[in-house]
Amino acid sequence: LLERGLHRNRAGLAAIVDQLHADDVFVDVGANCGLFSLFAAKAVGANGCVVAIEPALEMTRRLRFNAEANGFSSISVIEAAAGSAEGRATLHVRPDQYGLSTLCRIGSIGVEVPMAPLLAIVQVAGRTRIDAMKIDVEGYEDRVLIPFFREAPSYLWPRRILMEVEHAARWESDCLRTLVDAEYRVAPIGKKDVLLSR
C-alpha cells in the first residue's frame, strides 16, 4: 500500500467493505496479502468474521503477518484454493507478482495446492450466512461461483459480491449470467470489477 497507494482499490473497498457492519461475515476469495480482509476485519469488529481464502504460500504468510500486526483475531486464513471439487490443483505462480497467481493454465511456475469447493470452506469455517464477498481469482471465478450457487442453500448466498471481471475471457462459463439468473443486480465498479447485490 505504501509503494502503490490505496487509490487503486478505493472504489472496490468503498463498494463492499464500507457497507459492512459490526458482527457481519465477510468472505475474501483470493485474499492475497489481505487488503480487503484487513479493512473488513476493522469494519466487522471482534465479534464479526472474515474468512480469507488464499492458496499462495507467500501471500498467506504476508496475510497472517498483516492480521497479527493489526491485532485482527477475527480473520480466519484458509490456505487453499477455492474451486469446483475437493482435492489438489496446480496454482500457476508469478514469482515477480504473487497477486497474479491463478488456477488457469497460463504458463507460470506450477505449484500443487489443496483445493476445496467454496461451500465446503464456508461450512468448515462454521458460517451460516455471508453478508459480503470479494472474489478475485484471476479468471477462475466461474469455477468457484457456479458450483457454489448450484449447491449452497439460498440463505448462504451473499447479499453483496465484489467480483473482478478483468480476466473474464478465461472463464469456461458465464458466471455473471449465473448471478443475474439468481436475481443479483450488477453495477460496474471502475474498469475491472462489478458489484452484485440482492
Side-chain angles (χ1 to χ4, degrees):
L1 288 178
L2 290 173
E3 178 184 344
R4 299 178 184 172
L6 182 61
H7 64 279
R8 297 177 60 198
N9 293 287
R10 185 62 251 175
L13 286 165
I16 197 77
V17 173
D18 288 1
Q19 307 305 313
L20 289 171
H21 304 288
D23 304 339
D24 274 357
V25 176
F26 179 76
V27 175
D28 192 353
V29 187
N32 205 294
C33 65
L35 171 63
F36 280 80
S37 290
L38 293 167
F39 280 90
K42 183 177 181 182
V44 304
N47 294 324
C49 177
V50 175
V51 179
I53 305 165
E54 174 57 52
L57 185 61
E58 175 60 20
M59 298 316 281
T60 57
R61 184 190 68 78
R62 296 179 191 183
L63 173 55
R64 290 184 188 280
F65 172 86
N66 289 334
E68 185 176 343
N70 285 277
F72 292 140
S73 59
S74 61
I75 300 177
S76 175
V77 179
I78 309 298
E79 295 183 23
S84 58
E86 197 88 34
R88 308 286 293 179
T90 301
L91 180 70
H92 299 275
V93 176
R94 283 267 308 269
D96 61 321
Q97 177 57 279
Y98 288 103
L100 298 179
S101 299
T102 177
L103 293 181
C104 298
R105 297 178 184 179
I106 57 170
S108 304
I109 298 170
V111 178
E112 192 173 270
V113 296
M115 181 174 71
L118 179 57
L119 177 58
I121 293 172
V122 170
Q123 290 173 329
V124 167
R127 300 298 102 196
T128 57
R129 76 176 199 275
I130 301 172
D131 295 292
M133 175 189 296
K134 184 272 287 178
I135 179 165
D136 175 357
V137 287
E138 305 299 312
Y140 209 74
E141 290 82 9
D142 59 323
R143 281 147 285 185
V144 176
L145 291 177
I146 291 176
F148 176 81
F149 279 92
R150 186 172 57 238
E151 299 162 10
S154 59
Y155 64 78
L156 267 181
W157 294 4
R159 292 188 288 116
R160 294 181 316 285
I161 302 170
L162 180 69
M163 179 171 66
E164 184 184 60
V165 294
E166 184 177 14
H167 303 293
R170 298 176 184 169
W171 294 350
E172 293 178 349
S173 304
D174 186 355
C175 62
L176 201 53
R177 170 50 54 189
T178 297
L179 292 162
V180 169
D181 290 345
E183 300 185 350
Y184 280 86
R185 299 180 302 278
V186 182
I189 303 293
K191 297 179 180 179
K192 64 176 188 172
D193 299 318
V194 294
L195 179 68
L196 300 120
S197 54
R198 58 194 296 264

